[in-house]
Amino acid sequence: MPDYKVYYFNVKALGEPLRFLLSYGNLPFDDVRITREEWPALKPTMPMGQMPVLEVDGKKVHQSVAMSRYLANQVGLAGADDWENLMIDTVVDTVNDFRLKIAVVSYEPDDEIKEKKLVTLNNEVIPFYLEKLDDIARDNNGYLANSKLSWADIYFTAILDYLNYMTKSDLVANHPYLQRVVDNVTSIESIRSWIDKRPKTEI
Amino acid sequence: MPDYKVYYFNVKALGEPLRFLLSYGNLPFDDVRITREEWPALKPTMPMGQMPVLEVDGKKVHQSVAMSRYLANQVGLAGADDWENLMIDTVVDTVNDFRLKIAVVSYEPDDEIKEKKLVTLNNEVIPFYLEKLDDIARDNNGYLANSKLSWADIYFTAILDYLNYMTKSDLVANHPYLQRVVDNVTSIESIRSWIDKRPKTEI
């Protein structure tokens, strides 16, 4: 079995899909949490000076979605064929577009600009994406692709806390099919066990 | 052979990787170019109200990277195993991060803010990404992953005109290994033939 290490800050956010996927597959991993003080010295050792980074038998890789897809293949959560993988990839990229649209407002440093952007985000962007994603989850019986569990469900559920944190809301509260996606993922024994034992962090 | 249609505006940009990949595999496709006048009526028929959209035997899909990966699998430009695919996915996602960092400045509507952002983009972001990508191309003998042709090379080369357009520059001019990537792709007969016959557009 390969030796896995996840390098990230002491937050869930973009590192959590990796931790969920490794936990799902019962693959032991070193959950390395870097403090803000340690980061400047470590930054130059990371492929693009960013985290999360996954280390597989000493080889460091980056890009959270690419790493998640790789791990999904190791733990049996990829699609059965190219078309199923396309359905998974499409919804994961859509979830990520959604995340970026939230992040660009959440991290806006100018308060006046942020207020303006928040109006569009809350009145248009968030309802649009949630409705589309909820429709997809409805059409796929409580999953995000191919009417069965895949890494798309894991990815969405794992970053949901981060999306909720940025939007100061409970995004799935009024979206019953997305709630079913979350329930389907969090009721898996290995995921449940990870959630129970992981460090408690706000983000 | 499936019936392929590419729906996009009359520009290269994010549709061009799909057209390159289909051309590479000599897969006939309907190159549907929507005018700005036609778009409002068509928008609601597209999965997320966006293009490019790929239609495969009547089924419409979206997300340019996901569609490119799917087509790469159909034309033999994916990796040989999960690790090779991880290397490809990582560099494609990095190219896309680069594109987004350029686009957010290029599409900034406020001139004063744009001027400020351009300084960081030109002095820090662009040199950083180009150096990293050129190093990758050097380490992979003129390819972006696994020292052999993959859809990462096609993706980069196909959107390069768009990146050059947004930055008003020739991004690979002083990056010899990235220039080799472009040369390796554009010297392929089927790609050459597509470039010669495609509609001439600025973007």
Side-chain angles (χ1 to χ4, degrees):
Chain A
M1 196 176 289
D3 182 36
Y4 293 106
K5 281 192 179 72
V6 174
Y7 294 87
Y8 201 39
F9 297 108
N10 184 28
V11 294
K12 296 186 278 286
L14 296 183
E16 204 61 12
L18 308 178
R19 301 183 188 121
F20 266 48
L21 286 161
L22 288 159
S23 300
Y24 175 86
N26 296 304
L27 300 175
F29 65 102
D30 198 354
D31 185 27
V32 186
R33 290 168 187 250
I34 310 296
T35 64
R36 298 285 159 183
E37 292 69 39
E38 293 167 321
W39 178 231
L42 238 104
K43 189 173 164 70
T45 71
M46 297 300 173
M48 288 292 284
Q50 294 178 324
M51 296 191 293
V53 156
L54 176 70
E55 192 177 292
V56 184
D57 285 338
K59 287 172 287 185
K60 285 193 179 75
V61 290
H62 69 117
Q63 284 294 355
S64 55
V65 171
M67 295 185 286
S68 297
R69 185 180 297 105
Y70 175 79
L71 289 178
N73 273 295
Q74 311 317 303
V75 303
L77 284 178
D81 55 31
D82 293 341
W83 187 263
E84 284 197 3
N85 280 323
L86 173 57
M87 296 298 107
I88 294 168
D89 290 347
T90 301
V91 76
V92 169
D93 287 353
T94 300
V95 167
N96 247 329
D97 283 353
F98 185 38
R99 172 181 69 79
L100 284 169
K101 282 172 195 283
I102 292 170
V104 82
V105 180
S106 178
Y107 294 118
E108 170 59 54
D110 185 309
D111 281 348
E112 207 177 319
I113 298 174
K114 186 169 180 164
E115 281 307 310
K116 271 190 213 164
K117 286 184 174 174
L118 265 175
V119 175
T120 314
L121 182 70
N122 288 326
N123 295 347
E124 296 174 29
V125 178
I126 291 178
F128 175 77
Y129 273 89
L130 287 179
E131 192 187 325
K132 289 283 184 185
L133 290 169
D134 202 51
D135 284 352
I136 291 170
R138 178 198 63 210
D139 295 346
N140 286 280
N141 302 307
Y143 297 98
L144 285 172
N146 311 311
S147 296
K148 62 181 176 183
L149 184 72
S150 75
W151 67 279
D153 307 300
I154 305 274
Y155 191 87
F156 175 75
T157 304
I159 69 159
L160 183 59
D161 282 340
Y162 179 46
L163 303 183
N164 284 339
Y165 172 83
M166 287 194 287
T167 57
K168 300 184 178 66
S169 67
D170 178 356
L171 291 170
V172 302
N174 298 307
H175 295 86
Y177 298 99
L178 287 178
Q179 183 63 60
R180 276 183 58 194
V181 171
V182 172
D183 293 345
N184 283 333
V185 170
T186 55
S187 63
I188 298 165
E189 176 57 31
S190 53
I191 297 286
R192 184 76 261 149
S193 164
W194 165 251
I195 291 172
D196 288 344
K197 79 177 184 198
R198 71 184 174 186
K200 303 298 167 251
T201 60
E202 188 186 19
I203 309 178
Chain B
M1 196 176 289
D3 183 36
Y4 293 108
K5 281 193 179 72
V6 174
Y7 294 87
Y8 200 40
F9 297 109
N10 184 27
V11 294
K12 295 186 279 286
L14 296 184
E16 204 60 13
L18 308 177
R19 302 183 186 121
F20 266 48
L21 287 161
L22 289 159
S23 300
Y24 174 86
N26 297 304
L27 300 176
F29 65 101
D30 199 354
D31 185 29
V32 187
R33 290 168 187 252
I34 310 296
T35 64
R36 297 284 159 184
E37 291 70 39
E38 293 167 321
W39 178 232
L42 238 105
K43 190 174 165 70
T45 71
M46 297 299 173
M48 288 291 284
Q50 294 178 324
M51 296 191 293
V53 156
L54 177 70
E55 193 177 290
V56 184
D57 285 338
K59 287 172 286 186
K60 286 193 178 75
V61 291
H62 69 117
Q63 284 293 356
S64 55
V65 171
M67 295 185 286
S68 297
R69 184 180 298 105
Y70 175 79
L71 290 177
N73 274 295
Q74 312 316 304
V75 303
L77 284 177
D81 56 31
D82 294 341
W83 187 263
E84 285 197 3
N85 281 323
L86 173 57
M87 297 297 107
I88 294 168
D89 289 348
T90 302
V91 77
V92 168
D93 287 355
T94 300
V95 168
N96 248 330
D97 283 354
F98 185 37
R99 173 180 69 78
L100 285 169
K101 282 172 196 283
I102 292 170
V104 82
V105 181
S106 179
Y107 293 117
E108 170 59 53
D110 184 310
D111 281 348
E112 205 176 321
I113 297 174
K114 185 169 181 164
E115 280 306 310
K116 269 189 213 165
K117 284 184 174 174
L118 266 175
V119 175
T120 314
L121 182 71
N122 288 326
N123 296 347
E124 295 174 29
V125 178
I126 291 178
F128 175 77
Y129 273 88
L130 288 179
E131 193 187 326
K132 288 283 183 186
L133 290 169
D134 203 51
D135 285 353
I136 291 169
R138 180 198 62 211
D139 295 345
N140 287 280
N141 302 308
Y143 297 98
L144 285 173
N146 310 311
S147 296
K148 63 182 176 184
L149 184 72
S150 75
W151 67 279
D153 308 299
I154 305 274
Y155 191 89
F156 175 74
T157 303
I159 69 159
L160 183 59
D161 282 340
Y162 179 47
L163 302 183
N164 284 338
Y165 172 83
M166 286 194 288
T167 57
K168 301 184 179 66
S169 68
D170 178 356
L171 291 171
V172 301
N174 298 306
H175 295 85
Y177 298 100
L178 287 177
Q179 183 62 61
R180 276 182 58 193
V181 171
V182 172
D183 293 345
N184 283 334
V185 171
T186 55
S187 63
I188 298 165
E189 177 57 31
S190 54
I191 297 286
R192 185 75 261 150
S193 164
W194 165 251
I195 291 172
D196 287 344
K197 79 178 183 197
R198 70 184 174 187
K200 302 297 166 253
T201 60
E202 189 187 18
I203 309 178

